[in-house]
């Protein structure tokens, strides 16, 4: 990889200032960015580490009951800290990659990258979470804008993610065994006013809500409720791991498994 | 160039590094600790696993500059000071938990981190913990057996295959 200046600020303000430098990029856990830089897919001139800023770390409970997770909190820490308060999110975090990856990778890094096969976009969109940045709050429905694309402006930093806690929820993924990313994953969350279903790994447009299933599950929150549904293979990812038709089928299968797990 | 200071296997070291220096390069090329291996260099294989502040990480996917101020333990650091082997290493030897041995440093570091967190893991928990450690000799069965033995559990239920 090409060389760069490395800076590790200890406050959000200093991080924002450092990110205004020419060709600066933020570095969270680095589990995607460092491999991308090795391949020269990314070549920042300045890397601004976000791992030394205490206010970006940790899990807490807001007054309204929401689970608030600092953007630089690692997957491993989230798995531990949310086990009692939002088990579906704890299970999702504890199933990402492998233990060593979970000890470095962060929720904010994963969301800012918006890999079409990452787990967090499904958990965040499926929960209807809010992404808080240094300048504003962004609803999950507005945040994800296609493969590797988000609503974030240059220099904007995710500081926190706020998850409303549903009545029942679960995540189910079919893993691509080499990369451990989701070949297809479904996050299902049942709230008092309806059900949300978010699918990752399947679509060329990145994470998306499966509205048809949301409607069917809103009427009857049972695995059988999605049996009669099908998803079009149009726009689904096709690669050596699976055809678009295979992924379209997995959307229903993984949703069904997630609902069964949430019972 | 940034200067980093860290404690590696109990010894404080201070070096100048480039921003792009990976922790594994720092350990191997900077400090001569070549027990930590580079297998895939893409964070898939786990041959480079070391402990940073007690947590297992893939040192090929962490910058040396990010370990500034940290406590780092490599395979060289788990060996008792008087030589010999620690209980995990001994169990790998007793149960033939290695063939070529290339993946072994990473396996031992991952296993040590697992046992620190979960002193009596089930065979399935051991397999889950090893998800990010690849053995090309396909020695997983005996690796699982060795880790089970290192945790003081009975391995007779895991038949030799």
């Amino acid at each position: 990889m090409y060389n760069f200046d490395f800076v590790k600020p200890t406050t959000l303000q200093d991080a924002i200032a450092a990110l205004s430098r020419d060709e600066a990029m933020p570095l969270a856990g680095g589990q995607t960015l460092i491999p991308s830089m090795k391949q020269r897919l990314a070549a920042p001139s300045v890397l601004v580490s976000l791992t030394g800023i205490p206010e970006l770390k940790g899990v807490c409970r807001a007054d309204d009951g929401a689970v608030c997770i600092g953007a630089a909190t690692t997957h491993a820490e989230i798995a531990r800290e949310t086990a009692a308060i939002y088990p579906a999110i704890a299970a999702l975090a504890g199933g990402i990659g492998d233990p060593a990856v979970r000890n470095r990778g962060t929720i904010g890094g994963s969301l800012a990258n918006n890999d079409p096969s990452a787990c967090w976009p499904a958990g965040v969109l499926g929960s209807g979470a809010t992404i808080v940045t240094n300048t504003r709050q962004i609803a999950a429905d507005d945040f994800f804008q296609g493969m590797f694309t988000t609503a974030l402006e240059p220099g904007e930093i995710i500081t926190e993610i706020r998850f409303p806690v549903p009545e029942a929820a679960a995540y189910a993924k079919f893993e691509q065994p080499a990369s451990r990313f989701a070949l297809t994953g479904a996050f299902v969350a049942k709230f008092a006013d309806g059900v949300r279903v978010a699918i990752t790994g399947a679509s060329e447009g990145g994470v998306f809500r499966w509205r048809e299933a949301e409607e069917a599950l809103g009427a009857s929150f049972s695995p059988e409720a999605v049996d009669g549904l099908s998803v079009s293979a149009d726009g689904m990812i096709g690669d050596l791991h699976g055809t678009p038709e295979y992924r379209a089928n997995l959307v229903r299968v993984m949703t069904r498994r997630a609902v069964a797990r949430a019972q | 160039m940034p200067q980093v200071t860290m404690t590696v296997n109990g010894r404080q070291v201070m070096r100048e590094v480039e921003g792009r220096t990976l922790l594994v390069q720092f350990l191997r090329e900077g400090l001569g600790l070549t027990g930590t291996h580079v297998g895939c260099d893409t964070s898939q294989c786990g041959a480079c696993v070391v402990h940073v502040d007690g947590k297992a990480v893939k040192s090929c996917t962490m910058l040396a500059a990010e370990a500034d101020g940290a406590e780092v333990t490599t395979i060289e650091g788990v060996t008792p000071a008087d030589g010999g082997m620690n209980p995990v290493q001994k169990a790998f030897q007793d149960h033939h938990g290695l063939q070529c041995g290339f993946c072994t440093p990473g396996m031992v570091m991952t296993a040590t981190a697992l046992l620190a967190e979960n002193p009596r893991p089930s065979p399935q928990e051991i397999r889950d913990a090893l998800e990010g450690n690849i053995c090309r000799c396909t020695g997983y069965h005996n690796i699982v057996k060795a880790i089970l033995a290192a945790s003081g559990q009975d391995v007779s239920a895991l038949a030799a295959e």
Side-chain angles (χ1 to χ4, degrees):
Chain A
M1 84 179 104
Y2 295 112
N3 202 17
F4 49 84
D5 284 343
F6 176 85
V7 290
K8 192 167 180 173
T10 53
T11 67
L12 193 57
Q13 245 175 346
D14 288 351
I16 292 157
L19 279 171
S20 66
R21 288 172 62 181
D22 210 23
E23 290 182 38
M25 275 183 86
L27 171 71
Q31 301 303 285
T32 297
L33 183 54
I34 293 174
S36 304
M37 288 170 63
K38 286 181 182 179
Q39 294 178 63
R40 298 182 174 174
L41 296 172
S45 55
V46 184
L47 264 193
V48 181
S49 168
L50 302 179
T51 60
I53 304 171
E55 63 190 284
L56 295 184
K57 291 184 181 179
V59 175
C60 69
R61 204 83 198 256
D63 293 341
D64 63 359
V67 172
C68 303
I69 303 178
T73 314
T74 63
H75 311 314
E77 202 181 331
I78 296 169
R80 273 194 304 274
E81 299 288 318
T82 61
I85 49 178
Y86 193 170
I89 282 298
L92 177 149
I96 293 172
D98 60 58
V101 167
R102 294 195 286 273
N103 281 335
R104 289 294 304 162
T106 69
I107 182 171
S110 170
L111 294 174
N113 189 47
N114 193 18
D115 188 296
S117 300
C119 297
W120 275 123
V124 166
L125 185 62
S127 301
T130 301
I131 289 108
V132 184
T133 76
N134 55 311
T135 56
R136 58 188 169 143
Q137 302 195 2
I138 309 169
D141 285 313
D142 302 323
F143 181 81
F144 302 103
Q145 301 190 344
M147 207 179 260
F148 298 111
T149 311
T150 70
L152 291 173
E153 300 287 342
E156 190 173 6
I157 301 175
I158 303 176
T159 56
E160 184 181 86
I161 299 89
R162 290 190 192 147
F163 290 89
V165 180
E167 293 167 4
Y171 179 58
K173 68 170 164 173
F174 191 88
E175 257 177 12
Q176 202 279 81
S179 73
R180 316 214 71 83
F181 273 91
L183 197 59
T184 291
F187 192 94
V188 172
K190 180 179 183 288
F191 291 91
D193 59 351
V195 175
R196 293 175 70 102
V197 178
I199 306 294
T200 190
S203 168
E204 287 176 342
V207 69
F208 68 95
R209 280 174 71 184
W210 187 17
R211 307 273 179 175
E212 232 184 322
E214 291 182 353
E215 209 169 295
L217 290 165
S220 161
F221 193 70
S222 67
E224 297 75 33
V226 298
D227 281 350
L229 305 181
S230 63
V231 179
S232 164
D234 287 347
M236 292 289 157
I237 299 169
D239 57 22
L240 78 166
H241 307 299
T243 60
E245 291 75 16
Y246 184 66
R247 281 187 168 84
N249 186 59
L250 276 180
V251 169
R252 182 174 44 79
V253 174
M254 289 302 120
T255 302
R256 195 183 197 284
R257 286 186 192 174
V259 176
R261 203 168 278 177
Q263 296 293 307
Chain B
M1 289 205 292
Q3 184 158 296
V4 296
T5 305
M6 62 185 99
T7 306
V8 179
N9 300 332
R11 189 169 61 101
Q12 199 176 59
V13 295
M14 194 191 290
R15 293 280 193 288
E16 280 197 341
V17 295
E18 284 190 317
R20 64 180 164 184
T21 304
L22 299 168
L23 179 58
V24 72
Q25 290 172 322
F26 179 79
L27 295 169
R28 287 178 57 87
E29 295 161 27
L31 305 181
L33 295 170
T34 53
T36 302
H37 290 167
V38 181
C40 67
D41 199 22
T42 58
S43 70
Q44 314 257 326
C45 82
C48 68
V49 170
V50 301
H51 297 177
V52 175
D53 292 329
K55 307 270 182 233
V57 303
K58 292 183 169 173
S59 60
C60 80
T61 310
M62 178 170 181
L63 300 174
E66 279 283 45
D68 187 29
E71 292 254 358
V72 177
T73 307
T74 69
I75 188 70
E76 289 90 346
V78 302
T79 308
D82 59 355
M85 289 182 279
N86 85 354
V88 176
Q89 291 172 306
K90 184 74 175 65
F92 269 68
Q93 184 185 51
D94 290 347
H95 296 276
H96 290 279
L98 62 147
Q99 290 179 49
C100 84
F102 190 85
C103 71
T104 311
M107 291 284 179
V108 170
M109 296 313 286
T110 297
T112 307
L114 167 70
L115 295 179
E117 208 168 285
N118 180 359
R120 290 179 68 81
S122 68
Q124 188 56 49
E125 286 172 331
I126 294 171
R127 287 183 185 275
D128 289 345
L130 294 178
E131 270 178 353
N133 290 76
I134 296 174
C135 168
R136 287 204 66 181
C137 309
T138 65
Y140 298 104
H141 184 78
N142 284 355
I143 291 169
V144 172
K145 208 167 164 181
I147 298 169
L148 200 65
S151 72
Q153 299 184 81
D154 180 23
V155 297
S156 56
L158 282 183
E161 280 175 9

